[in-house]
Amino acid sequence: MIAWLDSDVLIFDPLVELGLPHGDDFTARREWLPPAVLDESSVYLDHWKFSCDVLGMKWDDVPWIPADGLDKPQRLMFNSGVFAFRRGLGFAEAFADCTERLIRAGVAYGHGAYWHNEQHSLMFAMLRLGLRWRELPRSENHMIFNAQIDGEHAAPSCAEARLVHYSHSMDAPYWPRFLARLRRERPENLDWLAEHGPIENERVPRHPYALALKFSRNLRSRMQSKRSIRAVHEWKARQA
């Protein structure tokens, strides 16, 4: 079994379901943020249908998953920050192949954002291989992104979470609010965490090689975005 964990996670207690204890082949948590499809009027339908066309799959074969707590029913879509799969089933190869195919074909949102293809390929690779799967409970990928720390759209309490996926919530601008939330919900972990934050992101690398690499990557990314915008328009024209 192989488990993937993004670097922006905090593990508070031992992970159980991530170890595939029920005999399943794959597990991950749903992603409910855009471009998740919550109903058939979604503005992202074309995006997903374009993806299916590229991979030789049918959108109708993408299953609906039921509501889970505050999460509404939706078409299957995984968050790629925390997942696990069994060895020897060809998943890694299928995952890489789907990702490469989608990017090369120019699949992207309307403004050229193509990097989400990696996340979407989790679901496509799993369906292509017909793997047995089970959704990871929120407790083992409890997402508290910076826009969900507090307020009207705050993520549910993480008091029972084994793993918190914080994204940018530990960055300096959000750190006081994130720490205040954990003071309420995870006071037993507060002292340890307070010593490790906030996270300072170096936007402009100081080393010349790192700066040149960043410039090169940004240039290639802009070029890919332009190609993707053109590819999306061409696909939509063929559907008309």
Side-chain angles (χ1 to χ4, degrees):
M1 187 274 290
I2 296 177
W4 173 273
L5 302 176
D6 274 1
S7 60
D8 57 340
V9 300
L10 297 169
I11 300 176
F12 292 132
D13 291 302
L15 304 177
V16 178
E17 299 299 319
L18 193 64
L20 302 174
H22 308 291
D24 299 295
D25 301 320
F26 178 89
T27 188
R29 180 68 188 174
R30 74 182 67 194
E31 177 62 83
W32 56 270
L33 292 171
V37 171
L38 306 183
D39 58 58
E40 294 303 320
S41 66
S42 171
V43 297
Y44 297 106
L45 280 179
D46 280 349
H47 169 79
W48 288 104
K49 291 178 179 179
F50 184 12
S51 300
C52 288
D53 283 356
V54 169
L55 298 175
M57 303 176 72
K58 296 180 180 179
W59 172 242
D60 288 342
D61 291 337
V62 177
W64 284 92
I65 52 177
D68 182 16
L70 296 178
D71 293 330
K72 299 177 181 179
Q74 66 173 84
R75 289 273 192 168
L76 182 61
M77 173 182 163
F78 290 124
N79 177 277
S80 63
V82 180
F83 64 92
F85 60 94
R86 294 202 184 277
R87 294 173 179 266
L89 300 176
F91 178 79
E93 294 80 2
F95 181 32
D97 179 66
C98 288
T99 302
E100 184 173 2
R101 284 173 180 261
L102 292 174
I103 292 176
R104 287 186 179 278
V107 174
Y109 304 157
H111 57 287
Y114 65 90
W115 46 88
H116 299 88
N117 285 314
E118 168 264 337
Q119 174 156 281
H120 302 167
S121 291
L122 276 184
M123 180 266 290
F124 286 125
M126 187 202 72
L127 293 178
R128 175 196 285 184
L129 296 173
L131 301 184
R132 297 169 298 172
W133 67 281
R134 183 184 301 256
E135 185 177 9
L136 198 65
R138 184 194 303 276
S139 62
E140 297 199 12
N141 188 1
H142 191 107
M143 292 171 255
I144 306 181
F145 298 159
N146 52 288
Q148 303 159 355
I149 296 174
D150 48 28
E152 181 182 356
H153 301 292
S157 170
C158 66
E160 303 299 322
R162 301 187 186 109
L163 180 151
V164 168
H165 190 169
Y166 60 82
S167 187
H168 291 287
S169 293
M170 285 184 64
D171 290 3
Y174 313 107
W175 175 243
R177 292 162 50 211
F178 186 63
L179 210 59
R181 174 163 183 169
L182 293 189
R183 184 175 290 111
R184 298 190 301 271
E185 299 174 5
R186 304 289 309 204
E188 67 275 22
N189 304 112
L190 188 66
D191 290 342
W192 171 85
L193 186 61
E195 298 175 358
H196 292 79
I199 295 174
E200 300 291 345
N201 291 315
E202 187 180 66
R203 294 192 176 276
V204 180
R206 282 176 271 186
H207 194 283
Y209 173 78
L211 185 61
L213 184 61
K214 183 179 179 68
F215 176 80
S216 174
R217 286 176 173 171
N218 286 343
L219 179 61
R220 284 182 291 169
S221 181
R222 287 197 295 269
M223 292 173 63
Q224 176 64 37
S225 292
K226 290 181 179 179
R227 288 195 296 267
S228 296
I229 291 173
R230 189 163 55 248
V232 169
H233 289 328
E234 290 172 353
W235 180 83
K236 288 184 176 180
R238 293 195 297 271
Q239 309 308 307

